Structure formats: structure tokens, C-alpha cells
């Protein structure tokens, strides 16, 4: 029987979200908790301490960054009570992660002596094939990857250590189930499961210095602060966390991936000497439109109404900054340790490009590993869940003006 492609979905409630009864009930329950979930640094720290019994958050530099982020959140127009609870919960988790990481490192200082093999790093805009390539390489089993549940809680509290099954998995299953109910069309744009290979940008959040914050809310104050500061110390904290994770659950060589890395190539090169970088490329016009749709759709989790035009203008400008940084810094990674892949070429020969990436990284895939890749491909065909229909005009944008906006990048990599 032939596969039936689902009809495309058009998001016609981006500005004023429409909630089903079950989703509304969840949001109402969250909103009721808002008085107990202030976006206040002292209260957030106190809750993290109370939930872990620990008091040492590690190096103090993160506190200034947290203060800036909290101020930026409070400036979001239309921030609602459910959104306040959402942000509060995430920040408490990041603070708990710091406490648990610091405690583990104090008990096992030998973790610092672990030597990380040079990682393989995928850098590219969202919607440019980064996730698909990441998933293929992860499916091979040749690299250490970060499942979503582990990225959210890298270190278990002592009271839960050794439990089977790992309680972090159950918590992430529950979280993704709620998110799927609140945002049923999000998987069509970016599928999220409790155990998929996730971005280490979640680990960078534990040091409160990451572009992730910009995707969680409209926070221009944070963007300006972030761009004014060198990110070397944040990536060094990331490297420490990777050592921690190897200590806890093993691993030989890390596979990393994030759009953030596009504007941090020199930092990556300093912190992870000898790394291999894979840069994915795609026409930035559909990339920008798709990302704007994803950000505008997910904004319903914390604000109403959603300022769609504001989000569109922000991300056009932000993507240009990222791409201009890539044009400037691409040569900082040696040619023999890097490869550029265009989206269309990749889709035309997925396993062929996979082999090239592995070769550049100085690795080889066994027949069994390639069979695992093929099995993954068979079960994860592009568009199997359907797709969201978007257009530049939907966001008041012109394709010609967008193309001009990203001209330097297009001329450098796609001409």
C-alpha cells in the first residue's frame, strides 16, 4: 500500500493561539502556580538549594548572566502566568544542574583529568539538515551523543543514583507528552522525543550563557549582552560537563550539534583543539521563514498575544548576524578538519555524505553500523509526520529582500 502524505498544516492562530480543552486545563493549572514561582534570583536559588540539599553553585560568574536574562524575560510583552511558571521551572532546573555538577566534581576531582577526544561538531542553521545528519551519525553508534533526558538532567541526585529505569527518562517522557499536547504541530517542524540525540546547547544553559535563551523568548536585552561577551568560558564549562558525562556513562568521542556554533567557530577551535567541523548550508530564505514559524508557534507557551511581526524582524536580523560571523570565521577551521555540505546535495545522497563526514573525522563505519543507519532512515523518512505550510508573505516579508539581506552568505557558500 502506497504511503499517504498528510496534508500540510497552516498555522492560522500564531498571533492569538487557540487552545483545546485539555491544553487549556494544563495552562490553567500552571498559571495557578505563578504566585509561588517568581522570576527572582534569590527565590530561584533558594528553591534549587531546597530541592537538592546542596549549596555550592560553582564559579560565581553565572550570576550576572542570570540577572540579565531574568530582566530580559520580564520585558517580554504579554508574558502570562503559565509562561512565568515555565521559565521559573527551567531556571530552577539549570541551577540544580549546577549544584549537582559542582558536588560531583568536588567528590571526584579526577574528572578534570579526563582527556576529551576531539569532537565532531555539526554547525548550521536550523532547517539546513543539521538534525538529520546528527541523527544519522548518532544512529551509527560510532559516537557518544546526548539523549534529551540526559541533556536536561546531566547528573542525578545521590538519592536517585543507581535506580533502574533511570528516573530522568520517565520525567522527560512526561514533559514531552505535555509539550506535544500544548504544541501538537511542533513535531512537524522539529520532532522531540524523550531519548532523541539532543543538542549540547542545553548544557550551555547550565552556565547561563547561550543563544538558547533567544529561542525561548523575545529577549533582545539578553542578545545584546551575549554578543558583547566572549564565550570561551561557557564552552570550557561545556567541556567540563562532557567529561562529567563520560565519567558517569562512558563514551569515546563526542558528536555535537548546534546552530549557535556558527558564530563561535574560533572559540570551538580553542576549547576543542583538533575538532572536526561539519557546516551545513541551505538557501537562507526558506530557512528563515521556517525558523520564524517555529519560534512564533512556540511563543504561545509563555505569551499572549504573540507579536509575530516582532519575532520575524528579530530573527531575520539575528540569522544575518550568525551567517555574517560564519563568512568571517569559516577559515578558522582547517580545511583538513572540516567539510561543507549543501542541503540538496545531502538529501540526494545521504549515506554517501555520511561516509564523507566520517572519513574527514578520521573514522570508519562498520557494516553493522551502516545497517543501523539504514534502519534509521527507513523509519524516519522526511515528511512522514506531515509538514507546516509557510511563506515569507505570511510574516510580512519579501523573498527578494530576504535574499538581499543574506547576500554575503549566499555568495560565499551557495553561488
Amino acid at each position: 500500500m502506497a504511503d499517504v502524505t498528510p496534508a500540510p498544516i497552516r498555522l492560522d492562530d500564531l498571533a492569538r493561539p487557540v487552545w483545546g480543552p485539555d491544553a487549556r486545563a494544563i495552562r490553567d493549572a500552571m498559571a495557578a502556580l505563578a504566585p509561588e514561582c517568581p522570576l527572582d534570583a534569590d527565590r530561584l536559588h533558594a528553591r534549587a538549594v531546597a530541592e537538592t540539599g546542596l549549596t555550592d553553585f560553582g564559579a560565581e560568574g553565572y550570576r550576572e548572566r542570570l540577572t540579565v536574562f531574568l530582566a530580559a524575560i520580564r520585558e517580554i510583552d504579554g508574558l502570562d502566568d503559565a509562561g512565568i511558571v515555565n521559565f521559573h521551572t527551567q531556571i530552577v532546573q539549570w541551577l540544580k544542574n549546577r549544584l549537582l555538577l559542582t558536588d560531583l566534581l568536588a567528590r571526584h576531582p579526577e574528572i578534570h583529568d579526563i582527556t576529551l577526544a576531539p569532537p565532531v561538531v555539526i554547525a548550521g542553521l536550523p532547517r539546513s539538515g543539521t538534525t538529520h545528519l546528527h541523527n544519522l551519525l548518532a544512529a551509527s553508534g560510532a559516537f557518544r551523543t546526548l539523549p534529551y533526558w540526559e541533556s536536561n538532567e546531566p547528573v542525578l541526585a545521590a538519592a536517585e543514583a543507581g535506580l533502574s529505569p533511570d528516573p530522568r527518562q520517565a520525567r522527560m517522557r512526561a514533559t514531552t507528552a505535555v509539550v506535544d499536547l500544548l504544541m501538537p504541530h511542533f513535531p512537524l517542524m522539529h520532532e522531540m522525543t524523550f531519548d532523541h540525540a539532543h543538542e549540547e546547547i542545553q548544557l550551555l544553559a547550565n552556565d547561563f550563557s547561550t543563544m538558547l535563551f533567544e529561542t525561548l523568548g523575545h529577549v533582545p536585552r539578553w542578545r545584546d549582552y551575549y554578543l558583547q561577551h566572549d564565550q570561551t568560558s561557557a564552552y570550557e564549562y561545556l567541556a567540563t560537563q562532557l567529561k562529567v558525562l563520560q565519567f558517569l556513562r562512558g563514551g569515546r568521542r563526542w558528536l555535537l550539534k548546534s546552530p549557535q556554533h556558527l558564530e563561535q567557530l574560533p572559540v570551538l577551535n580553542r576549547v576543542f583543539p583538533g575538532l572536526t567541523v561539519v557546516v551545513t548550508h541551505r538557501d537562507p530564505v526558506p530557512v528563515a521563514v521556517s525558523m520564524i514559524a517555529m519560534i512564533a508557534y512556540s511563543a504561545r507557551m509563555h505569551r499572549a498575544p504573540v507579536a509575530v511581526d516582532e519575532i520575524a524582524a528579530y530573527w531575520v536580523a539575528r540569522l544575518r548576524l550568525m551567517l555574517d560571523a560564519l563568512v568571517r570565521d569559516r577559515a578558522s577551521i582547517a580545511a583538513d578538519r572540516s567539510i561543507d555540505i549543501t542541503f540538496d546535495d545531502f538529501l540526494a545522497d545521504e549515506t554517501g555524505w555520511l561516509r564523507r563526514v566520517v572519513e574527514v573525522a578520521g573514522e570508519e563505519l562498520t557494516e553493522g553500523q551502516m545497517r543501523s543507519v539504514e534502519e534509521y532512515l527507513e523509519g524516519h523518512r522526511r515528511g512522514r509526520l506531515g509538514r507546516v505550510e509557510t511563506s515569507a508573505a505570511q510574516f510580512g516579508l519579501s523573498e527578494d529582500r530576504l535574499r538581499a539581506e543574506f547576500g554575503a552568505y549566499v555568495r560565499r557558500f551557495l553561488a
Side-chain angles (χ1 to χ4, degrees), residues 188-260:
L188 280 63
M189 296 179 275
H190 186 69
E191 187 177 5
M192 303 281 283
T193 61
F194 85 100
D195 61 348
H196 73 274
H198 194 53
E199 296 182 14
E200 65 284 354
I201 197 168
Q202 199 79 29
L203 299 180
L204 287 162
N206 295 329
D207 202 38
F208 293 91
S209 195
T210 170
M211 186 183 165
L212 173 65
F213 296 164
E214 297 175 63
T215 69
L216 299 179
H218 185 69
V219 288
R221 176 195 290 261
W222 168 258
R223 172 204 59 203
D224 295 344
Y225 177 90
Y226 173 76
L227 291 174
Q228 290 166 8
H229 289 78
D230 179 79
Q231 297 301 310
T232 299
S233 65
Y235 276 78
E236 289 171 342
Y237 192 71
L238 168 63
T240 297
Q241 292 182 83
L242 297 180
K243 292 179 180 181
V244 165
L245 294 173
Q246 278 192 213
F247 174 79
L248 292 172
R249 295 185 62 238
R252 180 184 63 85
R253 187 179 186 185
W254 281 95
L255 173 66
L256 308 178
K257 187 267 285 191
S258 176
Q260 173 176 317

Side-chain angles (χ1 to χ4, degrees), residues 83-388:
I84 289 172
V85 173
N86 197 17
F87 280 117
H88 178 96
T89 302
Q90 289 183 86
I91 293 169
V92 168
Q93 184 61 59
W94 295 327
L95 289 171
K96 288 167 61 178
N97 289 345
R98 286 191 69 91
L99 287 167
L100 292 165
L101 283 158
T102 304
D103 176 66
L104 181 67
L105 288 165
R107 289 186 288 111
H108 294 281
E110 67 272 21
I111 292 173
H112 291 290
D113 297 329
I114 293 174
T115 299
L116 293 174
V120 176
V121 178
I122 301 171
L125 290 181
R127 327 307 297 162
S128 67
T130 56
T131 298
H132 189 47
L133 177 59
H134 189 218
N135 286 335
L136 290 186
L137 287 166
S140 75
F143 302 95
R144 172 65 154 98
T145 55
L146 188 67
Y148 193 23
W149 58 266
E150 187 182 36
S151 76
N152 194 60
E153 297 184 66
V155 179
L156 264 176
E160 294 184 317
L163 294 180
S164 182
D166 193 310
R168 293 174 291 183
Q169 297 182 21
R171 287 194 284 269
M172 186 50 68
R173 281 182 188 273
T175 296
T176 54
V178 170
V179 171
D180 287 346
L181 180 61
L182 294 173
M183 296 193 296
H185 301 311
F186 195 82
L188 280 63
M189 296 179 275
H190 186 69
E191 187 177 5
M192 303 281 283
T193 61
F194 85 100
D195 61 348
H196 73 274
H198 194 53
E199 296 182 14
E200 65 284 354
I201 197 168
Q202 199 79 29
L203 299 180
L204 287 162
N206 295 329
D207 202 38
F208 293 91
S209 195
T210 170
M211 186 183 165
L212 173 65
F213 296 164
E214 297 175 63
T215 69
L216 299 179
H218 185 69
V219 288
R221 176 195 290 261
W222 168 258
R223 172 204 59 203
D224 295 344
Y225 177 90
Y226 173 76
L227 291 174
Q228 290 166 8
H229 289 78
D230 179 79
Q231 297 301 310
T232 299
S233 65
Y235 276 78
E236 289 171 342
Y237 192 71
L238 168 63
T240 297
Q241 292 182 83
L242 297 180
K243 292 179 180 181
V244 165
L245 294 173
Q246 278 192 213
F247 174 79
L248 292 172
R249 295 185 62 238
R252 180 184 63 85
R253 187 179 186 185
W254 281 95
L255 173 66
L256 308 178
K257 187 267 285 191
S258 176
Q260 173 176 317
H261 300 328
L262 284 174
E263 58 185 10
Q264 301 297 335
L265 292 182
V267 171
L268 276 164
N269 208 28
R270 285 195 297 273
V271 176
F272 299 105
L275 84 171
T276 298
V277 175
V278 184
V279 186
T280 60
H281 303 281
R282 188 182 183 184
D283 179 352
V285 172
V287 165
V289 171
S290 181
M291 184 164 187
I292 290 166
M294 188 162 59
I295 297 293
Y297 183 60
S298 60
R300 67 185 55 208
M301 296 289 283
H302 66 268
R303 66 189 298 193
V306 175
V308 177
D309 290 348
E310 177 183 71
I311 290 172
Y314 181 98
W315 282 101
V316 169
R318 190 66 180 91
L319 293 176
R320 177 175 176 174
L321 285 176
M322 295 172 67
L323 293 177
D324 285 351
L326 176 64
V327 171
R328 180 191 68 220
D329 297 331
R330 176 63 183 86
S332 66
I333 308 297
D336 64 346
R337 292 190 286 108
S338 60
I339 184 172
D340 293 271
I341 304 175
T342 66
F343 181 75
D344 291 339
D345 287 347
F346 176 41
L347 291 189
D349 185 12
E350 294 160 319
T351 56
W353 280 103
L354 182 73
R355 290 183 184 278
R356 292 192 211 183
V357 168
V358 169
E359 182 180 359
V360 171
E363 301 279 351
E364 264 185 58
L365 296 183
T366 66
E367 290 185 9
Q369 288 170 332
M370 282 305 301
R371 279 196 301 273
S372 296
V373 170
E374 295 287 356
E375 289 170 4
Y376 176 86
L377 277 172
E378 189 61 32
H380 296 80
R381 290 297 174 189
R382 180 174 168 79
R384 76 189 191 286
L385 300 177
R387 67 181 180 86
V388 171

Side-chain angles (χ1 to χ4, degrees), residues 393-415:
Q394 179 184 1
F395 303 108
L397 302 171
S398 156
E399 287 198 11
D400 290 341
R401 293 187 66 177
L402 282 175
R403 215 166 294 284
E405 189 81 21
F406 304 125
Y409 166 77
V410 171
R411 289 189 296 273
R412 170 68 176 80
F413 294 104
L414 299 174

